[in-house]
């Protein structure tokens, strides 16, 4: 199986080709620098993404407050994390930077608020 | 009381302008029509803000709060829920701003104005979508505000018009929160967004319909289906390619236009290529003492540039107020050469270093950006990404032409 990935590490946007056999990478081609190669391998084996959502607040400035993960999370966990957060209800005041969930699903990140509520 | 500088619009550009004007010794007031400061950043809850300006990657609200806290700590006055209706120039150093606030209308006097009211979004009818008048049709910004300020989902099956970054970012938010994005429709033969946002389509298995246009909405009370068709290379619908897509929501992300409605009554010159005012290197419009920055000047993909423009406008507005005007110069027009769609500023004086912001018409690899007699090598130029270059005084020529060549 061959994948063609547009590298997003820098604006050059090399189209990197990664070949996989039995879940293992057998070749990486068309990258112009090592950072791109590293990114492509990670993107195939364990893609991670920045995570953001909103959480309900009672008595806040808005009915919800924005949150983010303190580090990228695996792509496959994003939807479950959103579901988990839909059950959380905060009570205002909640200053920005408050930890809403600590190490959810063992992902080794925290979910923190990004604006005052 | 007569202010030195009144800032209209409390988004990032306006806050940066107000802070700078205050630091330069001006008496400053901020007018904001929303109930909060920060502009659209409060609803842009994704990261990607401040990479150039701060060297740090923040979410929109986090980036905004740095400026809001600074405004508060410097005790710069601001009025919220203050919608500016009209500006009148009585004398070069006497400008009257008419606003509507919950308590009624009010006039405010100032010597200079920094106008940072942001942009407005294009609506469906502006891109030729016809059909039933039903609920379930939103602009991307309306949907973003519903979801990320008020926690309301706009719909369950969503078709998005426009593959620019705004449309893609909304595709991600909707998918994450459990909606099904049934497609992104793009008129052009290539996608509008940056590569890092195009990944979103792959992540959530969202089909991208390039060279397609949405024609018609059908529904009773609520959107039920939407008709789209292929277009040819001239953007004309190809007969026989029409088809219907089932969805309950249509999200229009057809681009932003500088919101200059309040400035129009001043009769300032507008540049059709940006939709914003014509400015000199001080970011002063053709109305002396009226400065403009951020998305009201030109659509900025990066908040960093909006802030940079705000700071410049704020500084120059104080100078205008303190000196009774800015000396008029022998302005050199910035001429647009090949493959340049728009460039800011429109006039420079050749006596200072200047920063140019420009956008190309077509994508180019291994491009050379020519500014006057200087050449800059740029690996990739795309219309999706605004270019920013600093030009040294000694590199300014008369005439001064800007060009992007392969
Ligand atoms: C969906 C989306 C995603 C983005 N993502 C990124 C990103 O990842 N990284 C990045 O760097 N940039 C991003 N940007 C761009 C960035 O947000 C903008 O460049 C920036 O917000 C522009 O700031 P501004 O101050 O010019 O306008 P705005 O933030 O729009 O502020 C304008 C303010 O003026 C007020 N106003 C308008 N009219 C009046 C009036 N008549 N009277 C009083 N007040 C008025 C408005 O209420 C508003 O508060 C994104 C933009 C959008 C739309
Ligand atoms: S491979 Fe290297 S040079 Fe190519 S886009 Fe990625 S980071 Fe840039």
């Amino acid at each position: 199986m061959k994948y063609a990935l547009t590298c997003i590490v820098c604006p050059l946007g090399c189209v990197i080709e990664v070949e996989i056999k039995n879940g293992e990478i057998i070749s990486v081609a068309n990258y112009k620098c090592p950072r791109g190669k590293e990114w492509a391998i990670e993107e195939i084996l364990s893609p991670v993404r920045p995570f953001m959502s909103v959480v309900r607040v009672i008595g806040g400035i808005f009915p919800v407050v924005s949150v983010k993960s303190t580090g990228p999370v695996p792509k496959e966990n994003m939807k479950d994390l959103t579901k988990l957060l839909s059950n959380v209800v905060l009570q205002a005041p909640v200053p920005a930077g408050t930890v809403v969930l600590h190490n959810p699903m063992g992902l080794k990140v925290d979910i923190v608020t990004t604006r005052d509520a | 009381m007569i202010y030195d500088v009144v800032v209209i619009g409390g988004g990032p550009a306006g806050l940066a302008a107000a802070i700078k004007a205050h630091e330069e010794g001006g008496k400053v007031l901020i007018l904001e029509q929303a109930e909060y400061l920060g502009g659209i950043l409060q609803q842009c809850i994704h990261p990607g803000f401040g990479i150039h300006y701060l060297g740090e990657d923040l979410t929109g609200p986090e980036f905004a709060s740095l400026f809001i806290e600074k405004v508060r700590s410097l005790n710069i006055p601001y009025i919220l829920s203050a919608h500016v209706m009209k500006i009148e120039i009585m004398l070069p150093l006497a400008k009257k701003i008419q606003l509507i606030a919950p308590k009624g209308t009010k006039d405010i006097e100032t010597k200079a104005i920094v106008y940072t009211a942001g942009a407005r979004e294009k609506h469906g009818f502006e891109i030729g979508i016809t059909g039933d008048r039903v609920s379930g049709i939103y602009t991307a910004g309306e949907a973003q505000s519903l979801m990320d300020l008020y926690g309301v989902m706009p719909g369950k099956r969503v078709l998005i018009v426009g593959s620019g970054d705004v449309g893609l970012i909304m595709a991600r938010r909707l998918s994450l929160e459990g909606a099904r994005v049934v497609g992104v429709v793009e008129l052009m033969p290539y996608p509008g967004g940056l590569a890092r946002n195009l990944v979103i389509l792959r992540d959530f298995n969202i089909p991208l319909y390039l060279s397609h246009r949405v024609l018609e909405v059908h529904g009773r009370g609520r959107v039920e289906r939407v008709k789209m068709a292929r277009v040819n290379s001239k953007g004309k619908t190809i007969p026989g390619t029409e088809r219907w897509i089932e969805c309950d929501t249509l999200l229009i992300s057809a681009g932003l236009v500088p919101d200059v409605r309040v400035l129009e009554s001043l009769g300032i010159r507008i540049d059709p290529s940006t939709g914003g005012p014509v400015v000199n290197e001080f970011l002063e419009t053709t109305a002396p003492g009226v400065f403009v920055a951020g998305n009201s000047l030109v659509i900025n993909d990066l908040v960093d540039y909006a802030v940079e423009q705000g700071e410049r406008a704020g500084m120059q507005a104080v100078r205008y107020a303190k000196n009774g005007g800015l000396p008029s110069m022998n302005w050199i027009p910035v001429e647009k050469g090949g493959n340049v769609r728009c460039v800011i500023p429109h006039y420079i004086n050749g006596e200072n270093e200047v920063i140019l912001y420009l956008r190309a018409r077509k994508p180019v690899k291994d491009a050379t950006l020519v500014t006057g007699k200087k050449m800059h090598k740029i690996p990739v130029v795309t219309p999706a990404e605004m270019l920013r270059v600093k030009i040294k005084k000694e590199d300014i020529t008369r005439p001064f032409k800007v060009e992007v060549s392969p």
Side-chain angles (χ1 to χ4, degrees):
Chain A
M1 184 82 147
K2 245 192 183 162
Y3 292 89
L5 304 173
T6 306
C7 179
I8 58 170
V9 179
C10 90
L12 226 51
C14 300
V15 180
I16 306 180
E17 285 174 9
V18 185
E19 202 172 341
I20 300 200
K21 217 173 186 175
N22 304 326
E24 268 183 55
I25 292 182
I26 52 171
S27 76
V28 185
N30 271 351
Y31 56 88
K32 283 213 179 78
C33 77
R35 283 198 306 160
K37 182 181 181 185
E38 214 174 282
W39 172 83
I41 292 173
E42 185 181 78
E43 182 64 17
I44 294 292
L45 295 182
S46 54
V48 293
R49 298 285 181 263
F51 176 84
M52 74 237 60
S53 187
V54 290
V55 168
R56 268 179 290 161
V57 207
I58 294 171
I61 303 169
F62 296 110
V64 292
V65 64
S66 49
V67 299
K68 68 166 185 183
S69 58
T70 49
V73 303
K75 193 168 118 177
E76 71 218 42
N77 296 116
M78 291 198 296
K79 281 205 170 170
D80 288 334
L81 200 48
T82 313
K83 283 218 184 86
L84 204 59
L85 283 170
S86 65
N87 298 320
V88 177
V89 181
L90 304 172
Q91 184 76 49
V94 193
T98 302
V99 176
V100 175
L101 291 178
H102 176 62
N103 191 22
M105 299 156 45
L107 294 175
K108 298 198 178 71
V109 294
D110 288 343
I111 302 297
V112 296
T113 58
T114 54
R115 61 178 184 237
D116 291 334
Chain B
M1 166 131 89
I2 300 174
Y3 291 94
D4 290 322
V5 180
V6 170
V7 175
I8 301 175
L15 297 175
I19 291 166
K20 195 62 165 192
H22 174 90
E23 285 171 349
E24 295 289 316
K27 197 166 2 156
V28 182
L29 172 70
I30 304 168
L31 301 174
E32 168 55 55
Q33 71 178 8
E35 294 158 38
Y36 51 88
L37 294 175
I40 56 168
L41 295 193
Q42 298 291 10
Q43 63 188 60
C44 292
I45 67 168
H46 56 281
F49 294 84
I51 298 157
H52 298 272
Y53 187 81
L54 300 168
E56 209 181 332
D57 190 0
L58 300 177
T59 64
E62 291 171 309
F63 187 87
S65 80
L66 295 179
F67 288 82
I68 296 170
E69 269 159 35
K70 187 104 191 245
V71 162
R72 293 202 178 120
S73 73
L74 294 172
N75 283 317
I76 301 173
Y78 55 88
I79 309 179
L80 299 178
S81 305
H83 177 73
V84 170
M85 297 294 296
K86 199 170 164 194
I87 302 171
E88 277 178 276
I89 299 180
M90 325 299 284
L91 289 166
L93 282 174
K95 301 182 170 69
K96 199 164 84 183
I97 298 174
Q98 197 184 87
L99 61 89
I100 302 187
K103 284 188 205 141
T105 63
K106 193 172 167 171
D107 286 344
I108 287 174
E109 262 189 69
T110 184
K111 292 177 182 164
I113 289 173
V114 179
Y115 184 84
T116 48
R120 66 175 189 86
E121 295 178 279
K122 280 195 198 153
H123 276 272
F125 59 82
E126 289 175 82
I127 53 167
I129 298 176
T130 59
D132 297 333
R133 289 180 162 236
V134 288
S135 68
I137 307 176
Y138 299 96
T139 65
E142 285 162 2
Q144 194 182 38
S145 150
L146 271 181
M147 286 178 75
D148 293 339
L149 294 180
Y150 299 98
V152 177
M153 282 298 280
K156 292 199 184 81
R157 280 178 68 84
V158 188
L159 184 70
I160 299 182
V161 182
S163 67
D165 291 314
V166 177
L168 297 173
I169 283 166
M170 285 315 294
R172 172 173 60 192
R173 284 294 298 128
L174 285 158
S175 306
L176 270 177
E177 301 296 333
R180 174 79 191 119
V181 178
V182 294
V184 172
V185 184
E186 171 60 55
L187 189 63
M188 305 302 285
Y190 47 84
L194 300 173
R196 69 173 142 105
N197 288 328
L198 287 166
V199 171
I200 292 166
L201 298 175
R202 191 153 42 88
D203 283 358
F204 297 103
N205 285 318
I206 300 169
L208 173 64
Y209 298 97
L210 295 174
S211 299
H212 273 76
R213 108 175 317 149
V214 166
L215 300 168
E216 194 181 328
V217 181
H218 177 83
R220 272 152 300 167
R222 174 93 197 184
V223 176
E224 286 166 20
R225 47 202 175 103
V226 169
K227 184 158 86 177
M228 67 176 190
R230 238 176 207 294
V231 296
N232 64 21
S233 58
K234 294 194 182 84
K236 278 233 175 342
T237 306
I238 303 174
T241 62
E242 295 90 350
R243 61 158 145 170
W244 291 93
I245 290 213
E246 307 271 320
C247 57
D248 60 20
T249 305
L250 183 66
L251 210 82
I252 315 280
S253 175
L256 301 166
V257 200
D259 186 346
V260 290
R261 280 171 289 190
V262 176
L263 293 180
E264 267 159 13
S265 64
L266 294 179
I268 58 160
R269 258 174 71 206
I270 300 289
D271 173 356
S273 73
T274 58
V278 170
V279 292
N280 60 30
E281 68 179 55
F282 306 134
L283 305 187
E284 187 182 30
T285 65
T286 50
V290 179
F291 298 79
V292 61
N295 278 0
S296 293
L297 170 62
V298 60
I299 301 308
N300 288 280
D301 350 287
L302 291 179
V303 72
D304 311 73
Y305 300 164
V307 163
E308 182 174 71
Q309 293 152 10
E311 289 178 343
R312 166 157 296 239
M315 180 148 102
Q316 298 302 331
V318 174
R319 203 157 75 92
Y320 177 96
K322 300 264 183 213
N323 300 337
L326 295 178
S328 50
M329 315 266 175
N330 278 325
W331 294 111
I332 309 167
V334 177
E335 292 169 31
K336 285 188 282 185
N339 199 15
V340 173
R341 193 172 85 200
C342 60
V343 59
I344 295 290
H346 303 82
Y347 293 93
I348 58 180
N349 67 29
E351 285 164 34
N352 311 295
E353 182 178 275
V354 288
I355 294 170
L356 299 181
Y357 306 93
L358 62 132
R359 233 179 250 282
R361 265 178 215 287
K362 296 185 303 263
V364 191
K365 284 221 171 192
D366 295 318
T368 308
L369 169 63
V370 187
T371 55
K373 59 182 175 198
K374 187 123 178 113
M375 317 261 238
H376 319 250
K377 289 271 169 214
I378 305 177
V380 184
V381 171
T382 72
E385 247 176 306
M386 190 156 89
L387 299 174
R388 171 195 177 277
V389 273
K390 230 182 221 177
I391 311 293
K392 290 207 192 84
K393 184 184 157 183
E394 54 271 24
D395 291 329
I396 295 173
T397 53
R398 286 163 203 265
F400 185 74
K401 193 164 171 179
V402 180
E403 184 164 29
V404 179
S405 50

